[in-house]
Amino acid sequence: MKRISLEQLLRSYQNENYAGQCRRICGLLDSGRIRPVKASGTNGKTPALYREYWLMEEQKNYEELREELMYQLIPLLSVDYYLNHLSIYEQDRKWVLLLNTYLKERRELLEHQESVNERSFEIWNREKFLSREQGKKILKRCGLELDFLNVYGTSEPLSYYSHTRDVPQKLLILENKDTFYSMRRHLQEGNETILGERIQTLVYGAGKRIWRSFQDFELCVEPYMKAEGNRIFYFGDLDYEGIGIYESLAELCRDFHEIIPFVPAYEAMLKKAGQREDLPETKEMQNRNIREVFFSYFTPECAGAMRRILVEGKYVPQEILNISDF
């Protein structure tokens, strides 16, 4: 229902005299297609017509859609939501019917796990329908969870450099790109250790993206990187965010790997930081909710020094170390 002026209504009848226009308006009133807005007042003519009207929208007949929902969709799909929102079903109908056809004719394909985009294309012929379009909404309206489709998410593959494939070996995750490149160059120049530790593989973590990458660690890395007996270390910025990234990663992996702070690197950071009086200010809006997990790997003296830097509102980027320090 929308508001419309008398002038707008009479545009279609502008070639008729006023008496004919009045008959047209009366016909619209009698059919229920318009209702007067009495508060708008009349036009002052005889016979008088109101200046504005409510234009009544024509009610659509959804009976065929109701019948389709009740008798043509498989029982696996819940129709309760759409029966109560038939206009939305009219918009979603194409996608619901494609899902219905897939489950009716090809449901056995769900026995094999596929990526989200692969399954999305398989059902709707659109690879991003589940991840970026309305696929998840369609599933929810049909009473299904994403897990029902037996899919897995994919992340950006890990960027890493392996100096050797010996096992067991030590892997070092690095928060920032510059340090990754510098340490890789150090190993490529023939060095066997980094800060006294024999590190065989360097992994570029890309900050918080390491969380997503390590969810697929067991699936996407080569066998020697997940061999029994391997040890995994982490080295990032000495600030709230860097420590938080480490603690969240350690928690994420605790059931299959212990992630350990790379103590020699943090100690080297502190040593160089102690030679400076102009450490940078902590970046704004950092989440300061860190626990004691990180500090538990260090001596009380070292942990205390790191806490003092944080309390003073300072931080130490891992780039304070360069290739000459390794």
Side-chain angles (χ1 to χ4, degrees):
M1 184 170 68
K2 67 177 182 179
R3 199 161 175 161
I4 189 171
S5 67
L6 176 62
E7 288 76 13
Q8 289 174 292
L9 283 173
L10 294 179
R11 282 175 188 167
S12 301
Y13 318 119
Q14 56 187 353
N15 294 327
E16 299 185 25
N17 58 28
Y18 185 67
Q21 291 176 340
C22 288
R23 285 194 297 272
R24 296 285 191 179
I25 297 299
C26 288
L28 292 172
L29 288 166
D30 291 342
S31 67
R33 294 180 61 188
I34 61 172
R35 286 193 338 217
V37 179
K38 296 183 178 180
S40 68
T42 61
N43 61 356
K45 297 182 180 181
T46 304
L49 296 174
Y50 285 97
R51 296 181 184 275
E52 293 183 351
Y53 296 83
W54 291 112
L55 182 62
M56 311 305 293
E57 296 180 6
E58 186 176 350
Q59 295 295 315
K60 295 188 69 170
N61 185 344
Y62 290 114
E63 193 56 36
E64 288 188 11
L65 295 182
R66 186 185 299 276
E67 293 285 320
E68 182 174 87
L69 284 167
M70 294 178 66
Y71 302 113
Q72 295 187 34
L73 298 193
I74 62 174
L76 189 61
L77 299 181
S78 172
V79 297
D80 294 345
Y81 174 83
Y82 285 123
L83 284 175
N84 291 317
H85 303 85
L86 289 168
S87 62
I88 296 178
Y89 177 63
E90 185 178 37
Q91 299 170 16
D92 293 353
R93 179 173 179 267
K94 172 184 176 180
W95 312 114
V96 174
L97 292 183
L98 284 172
L99 177 61
N100 184 68
T101 299
Y102 177 86
L103 294 177
K104 185 165 59 175
E105 300 177 0
R106 307 173 68 193
R107 187 180 173 187
E108 70 279 0
L109 296 178
L110 295 181
E111 296 174 7
H112 305 285
Q113 193 175 45
E114 295 178 4
S115 74
V116 171
N117 287 358
E118 289 167 344
R119 188 75 78 199
S120 182
F121 189 83
E122 194 172 79
I123 299 173
W124 291 286
N125 205 37
R126 295 179 67 85
E127 70 276 15
K128 298 294 195 300
F129 190 72
L130 273 171
S131 59
R132 297 185 184 176
E133 300 176 26
Q134 64 263 50
K136 292 178 183 176
K137 190 178 292 184
I138 298 294
L139 287 178
K140 183 177 180 181
R141 289 171 177 174
C142 290
L144 299 177
E145 299 290 338
L146 182 62
D147 290 347
F148 173 80
L149 297 182
N150 195 17
V151 295
Y152 59 86
T154 55
S155 58
E156 290 297 320
L158 282 173
S159 297
Y160 61 89
Y161 165 73
S162 290
H163 191 55
T164 76
R165 298 191 175 201
D166 298 341
V167 292
Q169 66 167 253
K170 295 176 181 177
L171 296 82
L172 174 58
I173 303 168
L174 300 162
E175 181 181 340
N176 300 327
K177 189 185 299 181
D178 289 71
T179 309
F180 172 81
Y181 276 96
S182 294
M183 287 190 176
R184 183 180 69 176
R185 181 180 159 198
H186 175 76
L187 293 177
Q188 289 174 333
E189 289 178 350
N191 297 288
E192 298 294 328
T193 64
I194 296 176
L195 295 167
E197 285 282 356
R198 186 176 173 83
I199 301 293
Q200 285 89 349
T201 295
L202 301 172
V203 177
Y204 171 46
K208 295 177 182 177
R209 288 197 311 192
I210 192 63
W211 301 336
R212 184 70 183 271
S213 297
F214 254 68
Q215 288 177 338
D216 300 330
F217 182 79
E218 296 293 323
L219 295 174
C220 67
V221 300
E222 297 185 59
Y224 70 89
M225 291 178 64
K226 55 183 177 180
E228 186 176 353
N230 283 0
R231 301 186 71 194
I232 303 178
F233 298 93
Y234 184 89
F235 176 41
D237 293 337
L238 182 55
D239 61 1
Y240 290 103
E241 186 167 281
I243 295 172
I245 291 172
Y246 161 74
E247 291 187 336
S248 295
L249 178 64
E251 177 67 20
L252 177 70
C253 301
R254 66 175 183 175
D255 292 335
F256 55 94
H257 285 297
E258 181 185 10
I259 313 293
I260 306 167
F262 190 44
V263 173
Y266 287 103
E267 290 177 340
M269 286 175 76
L270 284 176
K271 183 177 180 180
K272 291 193 77 171
Q275 300 167 2
R276 305 176 63 104
E277 297 181 358
D278 57 345
L279 290 177
E281 302 284 337
T282 302
K283 298 170 187 175
E284 295 183 5
M285 306 300 292
Q286 286 199 359
N287 183 353
R288 302 185 177 222
N289 185 26
I290 59 174
R291 304 183 298 277
E292 290 297 313
V293 178
F294 174 79
F295 296 114
S296 67
Y297 288 91
F298 298 88
T299 65
E301 294 76 18
C302 187
M306 290 190 287
R307 286 195 180 95
R308 282 194 295 275
I309 290 173
L310 298 179
V311 169
E312 290 170 1
K314 307 290 186 177
Y315 81 99
V316 186
Q318 63 179 162
E319 289 88 350
I320 196 172
L321 300 182
N322 54 57
I323 194 167
S324 64
D325 298 307
F326 303 144

